Each structure stands twice: as structure tokens, then as C-alpha cells.
Amino acid sequence: MASANTGKAPVSISMPDLPGVGSLISEDEPAPEAAPALASFGSEAAVDTDTDADQSVADAGEALRSRIMAQAESQKTQVEVKAAAAAAKAKADAVVKAEKEAEAKAAAAKKKAAEEAAAKVEAARLAELAKQYTLPTSSYTITSTFGQAGSLWSSGYHTGLDFAAPTGTLIKAVHTGTITEAGWAGAYGYRTILTLDDGTEIWFCHQSSISVSVGQKVATGDVIGRVGATGNVTGAHLHLEVHANGSADGIDPAAWLRSKGLNP
Ligand SMILES: [Zn+2]
């Protein structure tokens, strides 16, 4: 066994390996092998580097993509947040607008109610005043109003309000007051002046007759004379003038009468 082993063993064991080793050694081309190895190493290193770079690029790309996606997600979220905020703001604005409209409506209604109440008060005041004032004649026709231009009048315009009525028609005191003039007044013909407590003068002109005297107190509706055609006239009528607080220039008698609740 031992000899057989010893005899066989070196041959049988070494032989198969030796040619292999010998052939490796005998080939003796270390340079070509080394060169490729070096080249390979260098190449491998380069490849490795490239691979690493590729990996890095890939990683970077992945990171970038992730970042872009995250950013997109973030932007999407921001857009959604913005949209939600805009919607909330629009809703709030709509609520504010509705509130403002409701307030304006309420204010308008309140104003209208106040105006109606004020109009009612004014109407009541005028109705009360109308009981204290009266028109100077009845059954008349207004033939000329205040301010009308014409050569007939010395001032160039009509300074009073004409109540056309037949001669002899009664003239009444429009309000309580005192007779401060009663007599001939040139172009005005026979004229009576009634001065009210507030100083307002009422001139009654072109009368056919005067039935009161200066200093006489009269009450609303008292007869003070009759319609005529005396002075500068073209026909029988009462020429009424109103001078506020003794002013030489008259004011519109129709407006004054209306302010007392009357409609000439
Ligand atoms: Zn006149």
C-alpha cells in the first residue's frame, strides 16, 4: 500500500498538475499578460469609475426625479392650497358683499321710511297751516304768474300773481295781521297792504273798493275789499304781491302760498 502509494503517488498526483504549471510557466508571456492585466486594471478602474459615475448619475437622476416629483407634488399642493384659499376668499367676499347689500338695502328702507315719515309730518304741518291761511279770492283764474317778462310792467317782469275775477269779487285777508296801507298807489291802483306778525307784507292791488283802514287788525278770511281794474291794468283782477320782511323785491306769491299749504 505504502510503496504503491509512494510509487504511484508522485506520478499520479504531480503529473496532472505539472503540465498545467509548466505550461503556465513555459508560456512566458508575462508582459502581454501583464499589459492586458494593467490595461484591464486601468480599464476596469475606468469602467469602475464610469460605473460609479453612472450609478451616481443614476442616483442623482433618481434624486432629481424624486425632487422634481416632490416639487411637483409640493407645487400641486401649493396650487390646491392657493385654490382653496381663493375659494375661501371668494366665499368670504361674497358674504361681505351680501352683508353690505343687505346693509344698503336696510339703510335705503330706513331712509325711505324716514322720508315718508318726514313727508307725513310736513303734510300735517301744511294742513294745520292751511287752516290758518286762505287764498285771497274764490272763483278766479290765474292769468299771470310771478317773474313773467313783459313790457306791461315797469320793472320789466311781473312782480306778483294775478287772480282774474269779475269786478266786485270779495278779497279776503290771507292770514291774521295788521293793515299798514290802504289807498291809491299809482300803477297799482287802489292797494291794501296787510303786514303779518312775521313782517311779511301782502299787497292787494287794482281794487275797486277798500273796506279796511290803516292800523286795523284782521283775521284770516276777513273781507278787506273787492276786485277791480284800477291802475295799470287791461282787465279786472287782483294783483297779489308778497314782500318778505319788508323787502322791496317781491317773492313768488304762488310759492309762498304753497308753503302755507295752499294751492293757488
Ligand atoms: Zn299782476
Side-chain angles (χ1 to χ4, degrees):
M1 282 291 283
S3 62
N5 278 346
T6 315
K8 284 180 181 178
V11 179
S12 67
I13 293 169
S14 59
M15 276 313 283
D17 287 339
L18 282 172
V21 173
S23 76
L24 278 170
I25 294 163
S26 68
E27 276 180 16
D28 190 35
E29 286 175 1
E33 262 189 34
L38 278 170
S40 169
F41 175 79
S43 171
E44 263 180 36
V47 167
D48 279 348
T49 306
D50 285 354
T51 306
D52 286 350
D54 286 349
Q55 190 57 48
S56 297
V57 167
D59 288 351
E62 184 59 34
L64 182 62
R65 201 177 63 172
S66 297
R67 205 158 62 236
I68 287 168
M69 284 181 75
Q71 220 166 43
E73 191 62 34
S74 167
Q75 280 172 355
K76 190 188 167 196
T77 304
Q78 281 176 16
V79 165
E80 284 170 355
V81 166
K82 275 183 186 172
K89 190 182 181 298
K91 200 174 177 183
D93 287 351
V95 167
V96 167
K97 194 186 172 199
E99 280 174 355
K100 275 185 181 169
E101 281 173 356
E103 277 173 21
K105 210 173 177 182
K110 199 174 174 183
K111 192 185 172 198
K112 196 188 173 195
E115 282 172 355
E116 282 173 356
K120 237 177 208 175
V121 168
E122 178 64 4
R125 188 184 74 82
L126 288 176
E128 201 54 41
L129 270 176
K131 291 178 192 168
Q132 302 166 36
Y133 290 80
T134 190
L135 291 172
T137 63
S138 51
S139 305
Y140 60 88
T141 301
I142 299 295
T143 51
S144 182
T145 55
F146 181 84
Q148 283 187 329
S151 57
L152 188 68
W153 302 293
S154 57
S155 63
Y157 72 97
H158 195 220
T159 54
L161 182 64
D162 286 356
F163 295 78
T167 292
T169 301
L170 298 177
I171 298 171
K172 293 172 280 184
V174 296
H175 190 56
T176 298
T178 306
I179 302 302
T180 52
E181 189 184 304
W184 183 256
Y188 287 111
Y190 284 108
R191 178 180 69 181
T192 299
I193 295 179
L194 168 65
T195 301
L196 309 184
D197 289 347
D198 69 357
T200 301
E201 289 184 3
I202 313 297
W203 296 7
F204 302 86
C205 310
H206 311 309
Q207 292 176 231
S208 60
S209 70
I210 293 174
S211 54
V212 289
S213 53
V214 172
Q216 188 177 331
K217 298 271 186 186
V218 296
T220 304
D222 284 354
V223 172
I224 59 171
R226 289 176 185 273
V227 172
T230 58
N232 186 14
V233 297
T234 55
H237 73 278
L238 166 67
H239 171 94
L240 187 81
E241 287 194 14
V242 176
H243 295 253
N245 298 312
S247 168
D249 292 325
I251 58 169
D252 182 358
W256 183 82
L257 288 167
R258 279 197 292 272
S259 77
K260 306 304 180 189
L262 302 169
N263 291 298

